[in-house]
């Protein structure tokens, strides 16, 4: 049997599987993340294109989740698919110690769109490993141990990155990596500092961080890691001046500033990186997800020249078998070039300013269940409440079972109408691909308008 015949056999086998066969095999053999295995029934997905995916019954869903907020370029982009196919035919894999054209070009393109002064890339398989290596670099560079991270954060599920994480997904893995200290970041709608506006929130959050550094001992702090715009924990856009204030504190005390742009980067916020909105330059940027839309696993750390110089004559004690995998890097090259050639960054920015933001605020005014709307680009959150006056969340923090029923009802209403939402706690996030058209966004927002009426039934 020839190689072509073998590929045809595999393709025919998969093409002829029914949805029920896929579901049965999944339930028998696949162990799913973040789930009680006996309480889930994953929907089998047959195909996807653009901003839509289809199940085996040919039900179509407009993807307002971009899967896990990573399919920035949409499904089935022909240039990215072709790049993977061509690279696989030429050189499918090579170890990291060799130089490779796809890897070199991907690194060049990534540093070209990064802030000035960050000119090297350490490649990983995803965002969690990127954050693991970023804190390792910071500790080695400074000779210090502690790392500060916010409570409302998610940085990954590996041993170190889950300790950095502030949300409840951290709890079952404790005790975790030593030296991690959590603090409160800005969140004006639910201020930990009793602020009444963005300016107060900025100033009080910075004072809180200043005090945290003081009582921890600035000389012991290696790094502060922040999601530039907090992702799953609320799409929290920092007040103007906050990131610069953090940068100033880091400069004052010799602390490394790590910007976790795994979710917020590569067009998601209408810029190459979210830090570009505030013209703040971190020492390290971690990325993954949107760099190639998850077509092949890829992440990395973009490294400042100063930190890079630490390892000029000193070996960096870290590595991965698949660091800078050729298939992944080829897809990143094709993706970044497509972003440029097709004005995808500009499209994401326009969707935020001209379509999503204005329309969400218009819809929100009609629904007592909508407490707050916030976001940038194609990175938005709608916070649902029982009572607008008290701001009581529609469901309790970290709700499960019957306590989560109102959000489950809202999500079901979306799916029944052909929209796949991204929900977390008492929020729904509007995070379609950066390539989504205005008409498609309007289609999804019309469904949200109807689904919010279901949430309204749970208000006081």
């Amino acid at each position: 049997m020839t190689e072509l015949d073998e590929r045809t056999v595999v393709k025919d086998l998969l093409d002829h599987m029914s949805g029920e066969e896929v579901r049965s095999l999944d339930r028998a053999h696949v162990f799913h993340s973040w789930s009680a295995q006996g309480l889930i029934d994953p929907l089998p997905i047959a195909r996807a294109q653009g901003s839509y995916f289809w199940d085996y019954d040919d039900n179509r869903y407009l993807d307002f989740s971009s899967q896990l907020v990573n399919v920035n370029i949409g499904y089935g982009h022909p240039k990215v698919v072709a790049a993977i196919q061509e690279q696989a035919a030429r050189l499918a894999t090579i170890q990291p110690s060799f130089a490779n054209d796809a890897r070199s070009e991907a690194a060049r393109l990534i540093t070209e769109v990064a802030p000035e002064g960050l000119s090297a890339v350490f490649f990983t398989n995803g965002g969690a490993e990127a954050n693991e290596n970023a804190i390792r670099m910071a500790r080695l560079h400074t000779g210090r141990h502690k790392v500060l991270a916010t409570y409302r954060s998610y940085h990954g599920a590996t041993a170190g990155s889950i300790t950095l994480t502030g949300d409840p997904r951290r709890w079952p893995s404790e005790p975790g990596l030593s030296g991690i200290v959590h603090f409160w970041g800005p969140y004006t709608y639910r201020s930990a500092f009793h602020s009444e506006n963005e300016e107060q929130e900025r100033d009080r959050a910075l004072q809180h961080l200043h005090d945290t550094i003081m009582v921890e001992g600035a000389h012991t702090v290696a790094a502060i890691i922040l999601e530039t715009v907090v992702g799953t924990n609320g799409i929290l856009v920092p007040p103007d001046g906050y990131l610069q204030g953090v940068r100033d504190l880091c400069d004052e005390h010799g602390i490394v500033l790590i910007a976790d742009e795994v979710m917020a980067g590569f067009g998601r916020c209408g810029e190459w990186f979210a830090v570009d909105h505030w013209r703040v330059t971190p020492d390290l940027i971690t990325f993954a997800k949107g760099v190639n839309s998850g077509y092949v696993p890829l992440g990395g750390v973009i490294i400042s020249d100063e930190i890079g110089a630490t390892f000029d004559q000193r070996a960096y004690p870290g590595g991965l078998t698949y660091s800078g995998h050729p298939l992944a890097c080829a897809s990143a090259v094709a993706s970044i070039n497509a972003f440029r050639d097709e004005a995808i960054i500009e499209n994401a920015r326009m969707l935020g300013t001209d379509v999503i933001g204005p329309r969400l605020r218009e819809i929100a005014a009609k629904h007592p269940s909508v407490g707050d709307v916030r976001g940038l680009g194609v990175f938005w959150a709608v916070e649902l409440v029982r009572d607008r006056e008290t701001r009581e969340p529609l469901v309790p923090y970290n709700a499960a079972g019957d306590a989560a029923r109102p959000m489950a009802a809202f999500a079901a209403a979306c799916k029944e109408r052909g929209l796949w939402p991204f929900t977390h706690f008492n929020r729904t996030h509007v995070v379609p691909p950066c390539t989504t058209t205005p008409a498609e966004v309007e289609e999804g927002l019309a469904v949200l308008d109807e689904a919010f009426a279901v949430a309204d039934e749970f208000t006081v």
Side-chain angles (χ1 to χ4, degrees), residues 169-192:
R169 284 171 284 187
R170 180 187 80 249
W171 301 344
S173 297
E174 293 177 323
L177 188 71
S178 66
I180 307 302
V181 178
H182 289 97
F183 66 98
W184 293 107
Y187 180 10
T188 305
Y189 185 70
R190 298 192 182 280
S191 175

Side-chain angles (χ1 to χ4, degrees), residues 51-70:
S51 299
Y52 297 90
F53 60 85
W54 287 259
D55 66 19
Y56 279 79
D57 294 322
D58 214 33
N59 295 310
R60 189 187 75 169
Y61 299 93
L62 175 59
D63 191 356
F64 257 32
S65 70
S66 295
Q67 288 303 302
L68 291 176
V69 198
N70 66 316

Side-chain angles (χ1 to χ4, degrees), residues 91 93-104 321 323-326:
L91 178 66
T93 190
I94 195 76
Q95 65 163 296
S97 63
F98 289 104
N100 170 256
D101 55 357
R103 185 186 299 143
S104 300
T321 298
S323 175
H325 193 283

Side-chain angles (χ1 to χ4, degrees), residues 8 48 58 63 82 105 207 251 254 262 293 296 316 318 362 429 460:
T8 301
D58 214 33
D63 191 356
E105 179 65 358
Q207 184 63 47
D251 290 342
V262 170
S293 293
V296 181
Y316 176 65
E362 178 184 315
H429 294 181
V460 297

Side-chain angles (χ1 to χ4, degrees), residues 127-336:
E129 291 173 344
N131 287 324
E132 293 274 0
N133 282 280
I135 62 173
R136 179 182 294 162
M137 291 174 187
R139 285 173 162 175
L140 292 168
H141 175 71
T142 62
R144 304 173 183 177
H145 184 60
K146 291 178 185 173
V147 178
L148 275 53
T150 65
Y151 278 107
R152 294 186 183 94
S153 67
Y154 179 72
H155 296 288
T158 52
S161 59
I162 198 64
T163 312
L164 295 171
T165 292
D167 78 21
R169 284 171 284 187
R170 180 187 80 249
W171 301 344
S173 297
E174 293 177 323
L177 188 71
S178 66
I180 307 302
V181 178
H182 289 97
F183 66 98
W184 293 107
Y187 180 10
T188 305
Y189 185 70
R190 298 192 182 280
S191 175
F193 313 110
H194 310 288
S195 301
E196 297 177 357
N197 54 55
E198 291 277 281
E199 291 75 19
Q200 284 185 358
E201 185 71 359
R202 175 198 62 210
D203 294 344
R204 294 175 184 182
L206 285 171
Q207 184 63 47
H208 165 67
L209 178 55
H210 171 277
D211 293 346
T212 302
I213 294 170
M214 176 182 68
V215 296
E216 288 295 333
H219 65 289
T220 71
V221 179
I224 296 172
I225 185 169
L226 298 169
E227 290 176 276
T228 308
V229 175
V230 172
T232 305
N233 284 275
I235 305 189
L236 305 177
V237 181
D240 287 345
Y242 177 75
L243 290 178
Q244 184 58 56
V246 177
R247 174 74 272 179
D248 292 343
L249 283 169
C250 288
D251 290 342
E252 179 183 352
H253 298 293
I255 297 169
V256 171
L257 176 57
I258 304 170
D260 180 342
E261 296 253 356
V262 170
M263 194 173 281
F266 288 97
R268 180 56 55 185
C269 292
E271 303 288 347
W272 284 107
F273 294 100
V275 291
D276 297 340
H277 277 283
W278 297 279
R279 295 180 174 84
V280 172
T281 301
D283 300 294
L284 299 170
I285 297 177
T286 58
F287 67 89
K289 293 187 183 284
V291 65
N292 67 344
S293 293
Y295 282 33
V296 181
L298 181 66
V301 186
I302 315 175
I303 306 165
S304 71
D305 297 340
E306 181 182 355
I307 292 179
T310 299
F311 304 102
D312 278 348
Q313 303 299 318
R314 173 187 182 184
Y316 176 65
L320 301 154
T321 298
Y322 304 114
S323 175
H325 193 283
L327 299 186
C329 288
S331 67
V333 170
S335 182
I336 292 170

